[in-house]
């Protein structure tokens, strides 16, 4: 049975449906999965301070629980989105594309974390640390403060995380983003 739309994983973890057509990114989803499982950080907190060392298998297990809950709540979340967003009401083709986007985003994000946790401990930890750094940079840019950019080396865990957190242009995620935008533009013309 589907959960109440206001009390599902997507809403509790602040992946707001109200921002449509701005769709969440892989970075945002993975960050929210980490914070859903570990509000004060699995490896680093939101101030980039190391937290108490944890077993990476236990961390992965807890992240898997969050991914499963997000997948279980996806349909209820999207039903709520489709009912509340005027641009999506009665537009079946766009709704299908949005549903496919969220499902692909969930699958790709889980896969990226799965690969990183199968590597060395540092690769897995680097994923969360880099997400926190990106988030800090975004907040500084939004508040018009000059960001202090810390360069990342493309070696070790950071290289892996940088490469896998961005969706290449030929990825399914990028294709679906372009497809949804095209459907939106066609809808405005008619």
């Amino acid at each position: 049975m589907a959960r109440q739309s206001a009390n599902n994983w997507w809403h509790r973890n602040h992946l707001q449906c109200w921002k449509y057509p701005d769709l969440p990114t892989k970075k945002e989803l993975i960050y929210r999965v980490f914070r859903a499982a570990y509000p004060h950080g699995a490896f680093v907190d939101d101030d980039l301070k190391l937290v108490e060392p944890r077993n990476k298998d236990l961390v992965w297990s807890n992240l898997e629980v969050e991914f499963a809950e997000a997948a279980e709540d996806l349909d209820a979340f999207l039903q709520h989105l489709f009912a509340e967003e005027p641009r999506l009401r009665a537009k079946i083709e766009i709704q299908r594309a949005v549903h496919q986007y969220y499902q692909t985003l969930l699958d790709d994000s889980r896969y990226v974390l799965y690969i990183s946790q199968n590597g060395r401990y540092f690769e897995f930890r680097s994923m969360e640390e880099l997400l926190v750094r990106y988030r800090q940079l975004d907040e500084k840019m939004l508040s018009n403060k000059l960001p202090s950019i810390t360069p990342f080396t493309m070696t070790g865990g950071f290289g892996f995380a940088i490469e896998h957190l961005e969706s290449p242009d030929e990825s399914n995620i990028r294709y679906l983003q372009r497809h949804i935008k095209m459907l939106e533009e066609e809808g405005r013309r008619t």
Side-chain angles (χ1 to χ4, degrees):
M1 183 174 158
R3 297 179 187 197
Q4 296 265 333
S5 60
N7 186 24
N8 67 49
W9 188 92
W10 298 85
H11 285 98
R12 279 193 314 272
N13 292 291
H14 310 291
L15 275 123
Q16 303 294 333
C17 62
W18 314 120
K19 293 181 180 179
Y20 180 83
D22 295 334
L23 299 166
T25 64
K26 198 181 327 183
K27 290 177 198 171
E28 183 180 5
L29 179 59
I30 294 173
Y31 174 81
R32 295 297 180 181
V33 167
F34 265 112
R35 287 304 172 260
Y38 295 95
H40 301 292
F43 304 108
V44 296
D45 65 13
D46 284 341
D47 294 324
L48 291 172
K49 294 182 181 141
L50 291 175
V51 298
E52 145 189 340
R54 300 185 201 286
N55 177 299
K56 77 175 187 169
D57 295 328
L58 179 62
V59 170
W60 172 244
S61 175
N62 290 334
L63 295 177
E64 273 281 81
V65 168
E66 295 300 328
F67 276 115
E69 194 172 334
E72 183 180 327
D73 288 352
L74 183 59
D75 286 336
F77 167 70
L78 290 174
Q79 285 174 1
H80 187 68
L81 173 63
F82 299 154
E84 296 295 321
E85 175 56 53
R87 291 185 286 192
L88 292 173
R89 285 191 201 126
K91 299 204 172 119
I92 302 302
E93 193 174 359
I94 295 176
Q95 288 179 6
R96 270 193 224 120
V98 169
H99 185 279
Q100 190 176 2
Y101 175 82
Y102 275 92
Q103 188 62 57
T104 302
L105 180 68
L106 195 58
D107 294 343
D108 278 9
S109 298
R110 185 196 170 281
Y111 182 68
V112 164
L113 275 178
Y114 175 76
I115 293 171
S116 75
Q117 68 85 29
N118 270 335
R120 298 175 314 210
Y121 183 87
F122 181 68
E123 288 173 354
F124 198 24
R125 195 198 90 195
S126 297
M127 185 70 72
E128 183 183 33
E129 184 176 338
L130 188 59
L131 289 166
V132 171
R133 288 179 186 274
Y134 280 140
R135 187 168 169 79
Q136 287 178 342
L137 185 61
D138 287 346
E139 287 172 358
K140 288 178 183 177
M141 288 170 67
L142 288 175
S143 65
N144 294 323
K145 294 179 183 173
L146 291 175
S148 59
I149 299 174
T150 306
F152 296 107
T153 60
M154 288 299 288
T155 60
F158 286 115
F160 174 87
I162 289 168
E163 179 182 336
H164 287 85
L165 285 174
E166 292 294 332
S167 299
D169 284 338
E170 65 276 359
S171 71
N172 287 340
I173 288 175
R174 295 283 190 198
Y175 166 78
L176 288 166
Q177 287 172 335
R178 289 189 300 270
H179 184 64
I180 291 167
K181 187 175 183 179
M182 180 197 70
L183 291 172
E184 283 273 337
E185 289 171 4
E186 285 177 4
R188 279 193 284 273
R189 283 187 237 137
T190 59

